Amino acid sequence: MLRIAVPNKGSLAEPAAEMLREAGYRQRRDSRELVLPDADNGVEFFFLRPRDIAVYVGTGTVDVGITGRDLLLDSGSPATEHLPLGFARSTFRFATQAGTMNDVREVAGRRVATSYPVLVGQYLTAQGVEPAEVVRLDGAVETAIRLGVADVIADVVETGTTLRAAGLDVFGAPILTSEAVLVRRADGPEPAGLDVLTRRLQGVLTAREYVLMDYDVPMELVDRAVAVTPGLESPTVSPLHNTDWAAVRVMVRRSETNKVMDALYDVGARAILVTSIHACRL
């Protein structure tokens, strides 16, 4: 069976479990379960610390896993990103006391506190910046400056509220834009069953990104309406009982739903309906 590592806790855990449920896989009901076989789908789930997942994948202990891009890069493991999963998005940035630094070059000779020492060290080296020291902390790095442990911190930023509350401002370009990713070993053959898992997860991503739109439009306006909703390949256009009208069915990006509905109404379409997509294969 395909062995899949899944985050056992933290911000990645529930969204990962929900995506796998939507993809048709069993998920645990008891948070104390560490291993969950799903024989019907030919997979076995292992619930591990998110930070350790890339390491297990890189050593071949498990075939694939779900973790953060930031955790993957910081692990130094011979694992590689296979598929971005579109949730747990965040930005990794430098921050320090408000109004004291503006450019990453000012980090030279300073102490930098972070939970991601490998990632930060590689980034600074690539920028030609040599810090005095990279201080590894397991959490709450925003207090490191106030406590005198560091001059600069590098941390995941979602809204920036926590940093501002600590009197800190971000500066410089983002170190990394991160999200949840499916990872596999960087070398060796593709694990058996990974193609099925990939198609299922891509189906969930598409179902979340698109809706199904149906509408009626006069025959003489079909071309104008289809220009508004070209779909992924081509819309389905069917004749109605009233031969002066046609019914159109098409996939539309969820984020553009209301804008597209307004444009269709202006063209002359009516009975415009939107339906969520629960699963799909493209």
Side-chain angles (χ1 to χ4, degrees), residues 6 27 30 39 68 75 79-80 82 85 152 163 181 191 197 202 219 243 271:
V6 183
Q27 286 298 284
D30 188 337
S75 72
T80 188
H82 178 73
L85 298 178
V152 180
L163 292 178
V181 294
L197 173 65
Q202 287 174 329
M219 278 292 189
T243 56

Side-chain angles (χ1 to χ4, degrees), residues 32-267:
R32 293 173 293 184
E33 288 184 277
L34 300 179
V35 181
L36 177 65
D38 183 357
D40 289 343
N41 289 297
V43 301
E44 190 172 16
F45 294 104
F46 296 84
F47 295 89
L48 306 171
R49 290 178 66 240
R51 184 171 282 277
D52 297 336
I53 286 175
V55 176
Y56 281 104
V57 172
T59 60
T61 307
V62 295
D63 298 311
V64 295
I66 295 175
T67 188
R69 182 178 292 130
D70 50 356
L71 296 173
L72 166 65
L73 295 176
D74 192 64
S75 72
S77 170
T80 188
E81 182 175 326
H82 178 73
L83 179 69
L85 298 178
F87 65 86
R89 289 189 171 101
S90 61
T91 305
F92 199 70
R93 312 233 13 203
F94 288 111
T96 190
Q97 291 178 323
T100 59
M101 292 189 194
N102 296 303
D103 191 276
V104 67
R105 288 172 292 185
E106 298 177 64
V107 175
R110 309 295 183 101
R111 297 167 300 164
V112 183
T114 183
S115 300
Y116 301 81
V118 175
L119 177 59
V120 170
Q122 290 175 343
Y123 179 82
L124 289 175
T125 298
Q127 299 297 314
V129 175
E130 292 295 331
E133 181 183 5
V134 176
V135 181
R136 176 169 184 167
L137 298 176
D138 286 334
V141 296
E142 63 273 1
T143 63
I145 296 175
R146 179 174 294 180
L147 294 175
V149 175
D151 307 301
V152 180
I153 68 168
D155 201 12
V156 173
V157 179
E158 293 184 2
T159 65
T161 302
T162 302
L163 292 178
R164 287 192 293 271
L168 306 178
D169 278 347
V170 298
F171 67 92
I175 302 169
L176 175 73
T177 299
S178 184
E179 65 180 293
V181 294
L182 182 70
V183 300
R184 54 164 290 191
R185 273 184 66 90
D187 55 2
E190 181 175 299
L194 179 55
D195 56 338
V196 175
L197 173 65
T198 302
R199 284 197 303 271
R200 288 194 181 194
L201 293 178
Q202 287 174 329
V204 172
L205 291 170
T206 303
R208 290 178 174 182
E209 185 178 358
Y210 288 87
V211 295
L212 197 62
M213 186 171 291
D214 292 272
Y215 59 88
D216 297 342
V217 64
M219 278 292 189
E220 68 271 17
L221 299 176
V222 167
D223 288 345
R224 290 178 57 191
V226 167
V228 175
T229 57
L232 297 184
E233 294 172 352
S234 180
T236 299
V237 180
S238 305
L240 293 176
H241 181 70
N242 181 344
T243 56
D244 292 334
W245 286 72
V248 179
R249 169 167 284 190
V250 66
M251 289 174 65
V252 174
R253 288 188 184 276
R254 186 180 296 272
S255 61
E256 299 174 359
T257 300
N258 286 290
K259 178 181 176 181
V260 170
M261 292 175 75
D262 292 339
L264 286 173
Y265 194 90
D266 288 343
V267 166

